Structures are given as C-alpha cells and as structure tokens.
Amino acid sequence: MRLLSETSKSGMNKRLISIAVSVAILLIIYSKIDIQHLLEVFQKSDPLWMTVSLGMVIPITLFTSWRLQQLMPKDTHLDFIEANRLILGASVLNMVLPSKMGDIAKAYFMKDRGHLSGSLALSLVIFEKACDMLSLLLWCVFGLFIYSPKDSFFWVMTLAVAAGLILGLLLLGSRQFAAVFFVNAIKIAPKKIKKKLSSAQTAWEEMHSYFWSDRQQLLKISLTSIFIWFLHLLQIWLFMVALRAWVPFWVNFALSPLAILAGLLPLTFAGVGTRDGALVFLYAISPSPPYFGEATAAALGLLCTSRYFLPAIIGLPFLSQMMGAAKKMRNQ
C-alpha cells in the first residue's frame, strides 16, 4: 500500500508539472497574439457550423462505443448504453488521472462487472488504443504523401510517421516481431518501466491470440477505427469552416494529425499547449503563404481542446462508478 501511495503521489506530481508546462506554453502563445483579435474570430464564426462541429462529439462517441461492443468476445454481452458509459467515464478519468489511467480503469470495470477476465479486458483496451494510434498514423501518412509542396521538415515528418505506422503494423501483425521488440525493450528500459513492459507484453500476446483467431472481426474493428478517425479529422476541418478559415480538406489529413501527435507527447496536460503550438506553427507560420492568421489558429486550438473536455463533461454522471473501479484497481 505504501508503494501504491508513493506511485499515486508521483503520478499527481507529474500531472501538476504537466499542467504547469501547459500554462507556460499557452502564456507564450497568447503573449504573441492579440486577444481582442482572438475574441473577434469567435464573434465572427458561423453559429450553424460551430454547432455542427461541436456536435460531432456525439457520433464519434457513439461509433467508439459500438466498436467497444464489437471488441467483446461472442460469449459475453455489453449493452450499448453501458459501452457509452465506459467510454465517457474513461474520458473523465483521463482528464484527472495520469498516464491514461481512465482506459485502464475501463478494463478493470469490465472485469469487475463480470464481462470477461482481467487479462483479456486489458488486452481489449490495448488493442483499442493500438487501432486508434494506427488509424491516426494511417491518415497522417496518406495526407503527408499528397501534401505539397513539402520542405525538409515535412519530408522528415513523412518518414517518421511512416516508420511509426510500419512499426505499429509489425507489432500488431507479427507475434514473432512483437516478442523480439518487447524482449529488447525490457532489457534496455529503466527499472520502473520494466514491470509495465512485462505486463504489456503478456497482454499483447493474449491480444494476438484472441484477435487473430477471428480475421473477420479483426477487419471489422480495423475499418471501424479508420472511419472513427476520419470523423475526428472531419470535425477539426469543420472547426475551420465554423471559424470561416478555408483550408482544402486533403490538407487537413496531413496537418491535423501532426498536431494531434504533438499533443500526445507526455509533456503537457491533455495535450494543451503542445497541440495549440503545433496548430499555430502548421497552419499560421510554416506554410507560405499561411492558411490563416495566428489568432484563428489559436481559436482552432481551443476548439480542439473542447474535443477532449466535452466528452469528459458529459461523462461526469458516471465518474463515481469509474472512480470506484480505479480505486479497486489501485488497491490490488
């Protein structure tokens, strides 16, 4: 219990540091932007398209919940309503707990409700997150390959994202490659991470056994994940339409995923700051000529942050259930 308490305090300290970094980056960004101009961008926005773009949270959540249902073994049952509760509850916990612990709590909650074993529940969540990451990388590679003109920065990003996609596909598609990867990663990892990698390796092996036994289900989940991330990127493009900032739709496939990937770096709170800075750079600074001004890019950053806060707000009624699962998970 003492070790768990120390781990919890360490996680909280990291979360406070990430919030401080987010605030610092935002202060730098907004110190270079006319706040009055930023307010005018929102005042001149299109109310209809703003409503439609923010409302995209609903179909994205519904499709994500349906995918969670499809991930369940055929001899188990997860209600669509309960799947939505799990997705929304995990969104809340991911905002307040470090290291995406909301998704881990979601796995424990499924186990606690008797849906499936603990190791298989963790495997499903890992596979779900792997599909999300690979789908994002796939759209990013697609967008970057057709994006032009590309300078050295975008060529480096294209190669890096393509390498990440290939690595992810090899880990997901080849059990032998995954085994070699985890063995070597465990050897060179710090002591604190070795145990986590060992647990991840076990869950990954079980995931391989489960999903590759049913190729039809694997294909259905993969295509659904790709479509869900199409909806995510469509929502960001609709944000631009709502802000009356025109960007070709295909350009959005290249630049928005890069900003999302920047937000996934473990530096800031929920990606706030790094994602905003990336949007300003990619849309308002780097292109020549820029697609729109820095104030509009900052407004886009705020709307992108709402993509994470809105599901968390909607999921607040389910927080107590998920917190109970998180506490039980921590006490085991």
Side-chain angles (χ1 to χ4, degrees):
M1 286 298 295
R2 181 180 177 183
L3 179 60
L4 288 169
S5 177
E6 291 175 353
T7 302
S8 177
K9 290 179 180 178
S10 175
M12 186 58 66
N13 289 335
K14 290 180 180 178
R15 178 50 55 100
L16 291 174
I17 292 173
S18 68
I19 292 174
V21 173
S22 290
V23 171
I25 294 175
L26 289 178
L27 287 175
I28 294 172
I29 293 174
Y30 289 121
S31 68
K32 301 179 181 297
I33 294 175
D34 186 346
I35 301 300
Q36 184 61 38
H37 190 190
L38 175 62
L39 295 175
E40 289 176 0
V41 170
F42 280 110
Q43 289 171 356
K44 295 178 181 178
S45 64
D46 188 306
L48 175 60
W49 284 112
M50 185 65 73
T51 302
V52 171
S53 59
L54 290 172
M56 284 289 292
V57 166
I58 296 174
I60 289 172
T61 302
L62 293 177
F63 274 107
T64 305
S65 301
W66 182 81
R67 182 183 64 178
L68 182 60
Q69 273 191 301
Q70 305 310 306
L71 283 167
M72 301 296 291
K74 294 179 179 179
D75 58 343
T76 62
H77 178 69
L78 179 65
D79 290 333
F80 184 63
I81 293 177
E82 187 169 359
N84 276 276
R85 289 174 181 168
L86 289 173
I87 295 297
L88 293 171
S91 297
V92 183
L93 290 183
N94 282 336
M95 298 301 297
V96 298
L97 296 179
S99 304
K100 292 289 184 179
M101 288 299 292
D103 292 308
I104 307 300
K106 179 174 66 178
Y108 187 87
F109 190 84
M110 289 190 289
K111 168 186 174 294
D112 196 45
R113 294 295 290 268
H115 293 302
L116 59 168
S117 68
S119 59
L120 183 55
L122 181 60
S123 298
L124 295 187
V125 170
I126 289 176
F127 183 73
E128 181 187 34
K129 295 297 107 181
C131 283
D132 279 333
M133 177 57 73
L134 290 178
S135 298
L136 175 62
L137 293 175
L138 179 65
W139 283 118
C140 190
V141 168
F142 169 75
L144 286 171
F145 269 111
I146 63 176
Y147 180 79
S148 63
K150 282 197 284 285
D151 57 18
S152 57
F153 169 78
F154 282 104
W155 276 116
V156 170
M157 289 296 99
T158 301
L159 294 175
V161 175
L165 177 62
I166 293 171
L167 175 62
L169 290 173
L170 286 173
L171 286 171
L172 196 63
S174 171
R175 179 175 292 184
Q176 291 78 12
F177 180 86
V180 172
F181 175 84
F182 277 109
V183 167
N184 286 283
I186 291 172
K187 284 182 180 178
I188 63 176
K191 290 184 179 180
K192 292 182 178 180
I193 303 179
K194 286 182 184 291
K195 189 174 181 180
K196 292 181 179 180
L197 282 174
S198 181
S199 299
Q201 181 182 19
T202 302
W204 198 268
E205 290 172 352
E206 183 164 355
M207 178 201 67
H208 264 281
S209 301
Y210 174 66
F211 284 102
W212 281 102
S213 64
D214 190 341
R215 303 291 179 88
Q216 186 175 356
Q217 185 194 30
L218 179 64
L219 178 63
K220 179 168 63 175
I221 298 301
S222 300
L223 292 177
T224 302
S225 300
I226 293 171
F227 177 68
I228 288 172
W229 272 96
F230 172 82
L231 294 180
H232 280 293
L233 298 177
L234 174 62
Q235 182 186 33
I236 295 174
W237 185 74
L238 290 176
F239 284 152
M240 300 179 205
V241 174
L243 294 172
R244 303 184 189 276
W246 174 252
V247 175
F249 188 54
W250 58 268
V251 169
N252 184 56
F253 286 123
L255 304 187
S256 292
L258 287 178
I260 293 173
L261 290 171
L264 294 178
L265 295 174
L267 302 172
T268 56
F269 173 70
V272 175
T274 47
R275 184 173 53 247
D276 300 75
L279 288 169
V280 171
F281 174 77
L282 293 169
Y283 286 100
I285 296 178
S286 176
S288 181
Y291 291 108
F292 41 75
E294 294 182 8
T296 302
L300 178 61
L302 292 173
L303 291 175
C304 285
T305 298
S306 74
R307 289 168 15 87
Y308 302 91
F309 279 96
L310 284 178
I313 293 171
I314 298 171
L316 282 175
F318 316 124
L319 179 59
S320 59
Q321 290 179 327
M322 296 297 289
M323 283 298 292
K327 288 179 181 178
K328 288 182 181 178
M329 175 185 66
R330 192 174 63 184
N331 290 332
Q332 284 193 345

